Amino acid sequence: MKTVDMFLLRRTVRTSVWTNHFRRLSASQTHWNERKGLVLGVFENKEGEEGSLHLTEAAARFDQSLSGKLSELLNISGPVLKKGKSRVFYGIHKDFPCVAMVGLGKNDAGVCGLENWDATKERVRQAVSAGCRLLQDLEVNRVEVDACGDAQSAAEGAVLGLFQYDQLKSKKKSKVTTQLYGSADSAGWEKGVLYADGQNLARLLMEAPANHITPTTFADSIEERLAAFTERVTIHKRAQAWIEDQQMGAFLSVTKGSDEPPVFLEIHYNGSPDSTQAPLLLVGKGVTFDSGGISLKPSPSMDAMRADMGGAATVCASIVTAAALKLPINIIGLAPLCENMPSGKATKPGDVVRARNGKTIQVDNTDAEGRLVLADALCYGHTFNPRAIVNVATLTGAIDVALGSAAAAVFTHSDWLWEQLHKASVVTGDRVWRMPLFQHYTRQVTDCQLADLNNIGKYSRSGGACTAAAFLREFVTAPHWAHLDIAGVMSNKDEVPYLRKGMSGRPTRTLVEFAAGLAHMTK
Ligand code: BES
Ligand code: ZN
Ligand code: ZN
């Protein structure tokens, strides 16, 4: 052996001895630093139900192991824990210095026809998220979680509840890892973690400032997230020249005022064992910043328009999640990504542009740009002969006026598609609500002085979400198409208790659940 080789070998051996020594040390150190906590559920007694406490299975077992210490403390520490309320006990168990008890409400909820959601699941999400956050504030870094009868919802509550966008702050919230406690349903837990991770990915992209998430960096981040699934996924980041070749004049008209190059992101997820199966097509509005263009928006709250790529974020995040779940379905995701900015090169009110399908559009308001980028993406999407098309967009302020943040609006002529989306949303609690696609609204966008279509309705603000949907419909020929206007659910103040204040990532879980429903459908 040459001297150099000997030297290298010796050095390698020495390094590995050191590394192992260091690893042993740091592993035990991690153990010393670990602060473990536990979240356990408690129900409220039903009407007429006697008895002191109604603990979940896991909580009852934990209580037994402590010879009833937990129930004793619960009884003496205050009133019965109501839905969403929580209380922490310290030092009652050697493995868990902090135990958070969370109120689940009465154990008789289930699907509520009036609220259009599964109230039991919502209560579990809410309670678990509250318990996890309490422990996070106590700088507990490892939390074990009671399934509370629904491991998937518990995982969603934990992972969604703990999410905080503090990437750009020097002082960050303490990182918390979560795991299932006292339940055999690890499959349900894992599924919930993936659903919530998906929504958190959309939140991350939406919350990030527009100088960080540009069309280029958006596409790169999604490519990175999909790198683990290259066997089933192909991705194309189409540049300006391709977009011009495709004659996407409507999309290009929006990009003109910006110095950031546009990207047309195209993702193919081939999860079906039948590679010829018609794909589900998801299209997301990807305006990484919407200033309004020449029809400039007022400056207060303009910063929120960094999330105007929420459609693209939720669509791409749901495809990442579908891949992680290995859903047996083919999905194509399209995201026209660009900025809407004013400049000497920007599109001007009254300009006429030509979409990919040859239709001409008079752009009377450059702030109604979402429908322009989607028009070309929808035309292009038809070339894949999809089994269904769902587009998702933070399209109109008008839908926020109509529905607020209660539900995403669904405009569709397909009862089948509506039922699939609605069914999925009842499970996830991230609700949808159906809205009309009447000719009444179509007339308001087709009555146009210079072109085939006007990009705003002729009665300006009236029915703004409906005229926007009617506009999109002019670019769709497929029978099963739905447009989701998600402007109202884009951000969260405190309406959804298991999401902190900020961009919501809604309705990612509903899109995933919807895709999972189609995947397991024999049609
Ligand atoms: N991105 C906005 C819609 C929006 C508003 C999303 C608030 C999220 C929160 C969209 O591009 C827009 O500006 N729409 C206009 C349309 C109008 C000019 C016809 C609107 O809603 O005011
Ligand atoms: Zn706009
Ligand atoms: Zn917009």
Side-chain angles (χ1 to χ4, degrees):
M1 198 181 275
K2 279 196 283 189
T3 350
V4 179
D5 289 351
M6 278 294 284
F7 172 74
L8 279 177
L9 182 71
R10 239 181 286 132
R11 207 173 66 172
T12 317
V13 171
R14 219 181 311 132
T15 321
S16 78
V17 169
W18 264 109
T19 317
N20 281 337
H21 176 67
F22 181 73
R23 254 194 227 125
R24 265 201 305 275
L25 241 174
S26 58
S28 51
Q29 260 167 8
T30 315
H31 188 69
W32 294 333
N33 293 338
E34 194 175 71
R35 275 172 59 75
K36 263 170 75 166
L38 180 61
V39 174
L40 293 173
V42 55
F43 297 103
E44 263 173 69
N45 279 343
K46 289 181 216 157
E47 232 60 68
E49 191 184 9
E50 285 304 310
S52 49
L53 275 173
H54 188 166
L55 298 172
T56 63
E57 275 174 39
R61 261 182 275 125
F62 184 83
D63 189 37
Q64 270 162 21
S65 77
L66 294 176
S67 317
K69 181 89 184 153
L70 179 67
S71 39
E72 189 190 328
L73 281 172
L74 259 175
N75 280 328
I76 60 174
S77 59
V80 173
L81 273 185
K82 296 257 186 242
K83 178 166 70 91
K85 297 279 176 221
S86 33
R87 197 172 296 156
V88 184
F89 299 112
Y90 304 93
I92 58 169
H93 192 283
K94 62 175 179 14
D95 295 337
F96 302 103
C98 310
V99 177
M101 293 300 301
V102 294
L104 291 161
K106 297 197 177 79
N107 192 14
D108 60 357
V111 173
C112 173
L114 295 177
E115 287 296 327
N116 279 253
W117 65 21
D118 185 323
T120 305
K121 291 182 186 297
E122 277 296 283
R123 288 173 185 197
V124 173
R125 291 181 192 108
Q126 185 177 344
V128 167
S129 77
C132 288
R133 273 187 219 155
L134 254 180
L135 297 179
Q136 184 179 40
D137 289 343
L138 298 169
E139 297 190 358
V140 169
N141 47 24
R142 184 166 194 79
V143 175
E144 300 199 11
V145 179
D146 179 355
C148 301
D150 187 330
Q152 183 179 344
S153 302
E156 290 174 4
V159 177
L160 292 172
L162 287 167
F163 176 88
Q164 170 93 4
Y165 183 81
D166 55 12
Q167 266 74 355
L168 307 174
K169 288 185 188 266
S170 316
K171 190 166 170 11
K172 300 178 198 307
K173 277 220 174 271
S174 61
K175 288 278 160 282
V176 183
T177 58
T178 49
Q179 75 181 67
L180 182 60
Y181 174 82
S183 157
D185 190 10
S186 49
W189 174 268
E190 293 305 331
K191 192 174 163 197
V193 169
L194 291 178
Y195 272 53
D197 279 347
Q199 184 168 348
N200 286 350
L201 169 59
R203 289 163 95 183
L204 187 76
L205 293 165
M206 289 168 75
E207 193 71 84
N211 62 333
H212 289 219
I213 291 292
T214 63
T216 307
T217 61
F218 181 105
D220 290 347
S221 329
I222 294 300
E223 187 178 36
E224 215 172 277
R225 293 285 182 144
L226 287 168
F229 312 108
T230 41
E231 265 170 43
R232 291 158 174 240
V233 175
T234 45
I235 174 163
H236 305 278
K237 297 184 286 183
R238 316 285 198 186
Q240 172 107 16
W242 181 90
I243 303 166
E244 283 166 3
D245 263 11
Q246 288 290 320
Q247 302 186 303
M248 295 184 169
F251 176 31
L252 284 167
S253 76
V254 178
T255 73
K256 280 174 63 185
S258 168
D259 287 343
E260 282 293 339
V263 176
F264 191 95
L265 182 63
E266 181 176 328
I267 305 167
H268 294 240
Y269 167 64
N270 305 306
S272 169
D274 172 9
S275 60
T276 64
Q277 185 201 59
L280 162 66
L281 180 73
L282 300 177
V283 182
K285 170 179 170 182
V287 176
T288 59
F289 189 73
D290 179 12
S291 69
I294 297 298
S295 314
L296 194 65
K297 286 180 180 295
S299 34
S301 305
M302 199 200 269
D303 72 287
M305 286 300 110
R306 68 183 182 280
D308 208 23
M309 28 56 85
T314 53
V315 157
C316 293
S318 59
I319 297 176
V320 170
T321 312
L325 289 161
K326 298 196 172 62
L327 291 185
I329 184 174
N330 295 335
I331 308 178
I332 295 178
L334 303 177
L337 297 158
C338 68
E339 284 183 345
N340 183 24
M341 296 292 278
S343 88
K345 294 207 173 67
T347 296
K348 302 166 291 296
D351 284 1
V352 174
V353 301
R354 187 183 298 273
R356 189 180 186 275
N357 67 353
K359 288 199 182 183
T360 52
I361 307 165
Q362 182 173 335
V363 182
D364 270 353
N365 191 319
T366 64
D367 196 11
E369 85 297 342
R371 60 200 80 182
L372 298 174
V373 309
L374 287 174
D376 280 333
L378 285 167
C379 292
Y380 175 63
H382 281 74
T383 62
F384 300 107
N385 284 323
R387 65 198 275 204
I389 305 178
V390 175
N391 74 254
V392 187
T394 48
L395 205 64
T396 65
I399 203 63
D400 185 36
V401 175
L403 299 177
S405 57
V410 176
F411 296 83
T412 183
H413 276 315
S414 164
D415 290 341
W416 170 76
L417 200 45
W418 160 249
E419 274 156 30
Q420 299 313 310
L421 287 161
H422 182 253
K423 192 171 71 173
S425 79
V426 170
V427 175
T428 62
D430 197 349
R431 294 179 291 197
V432 293
W433 193 254
R434 196 169 181 177
M435 297 285 287
L437 271 173
F438 301 140
Q439 285 293 333
H440 174 98
Y441 301 112
T442 302
R443 284 194 289 274
Q444 295 180 26
V445 289
T446 50
D447 184 2
C448 174
Q449 194 169 4
L450 303 177
D452 300 331
L453 286 167
N454 201 304
N455 83 325
I456 51 170
K458 67 174 173 174
Y459 305 124
S460 72
R461 294 166 62 84
S462 300
C466 305
T467 48
F471 179 94
L472 292 180
R473 189 180 160 207
E474 295 303 300
F475 299 87
V476 176
T477 53
H480 299 294
W481 162 69
H483 152 55
L484 269 61
D485 193 335
I486 60 164
V489 301
M490 177 180 84
S491 62
N492 195 59
K493 291 175 282 299
D494 56 7
E495 311 91 304
V496 180
Y498 48 87
L499 302 177
R500 286 191 167 114
K501 184 176 184 309
M503 299 307 170
S504 70
R506 292 171 68 188
T508 306
R509 287 179 304 113
T510 297
L511 293 174
V512 174
E513 183 67 18
F514 161 73
L518 288 201
H520 299 111
M521 183 174 282
T522 43
K523 196 192 123 190

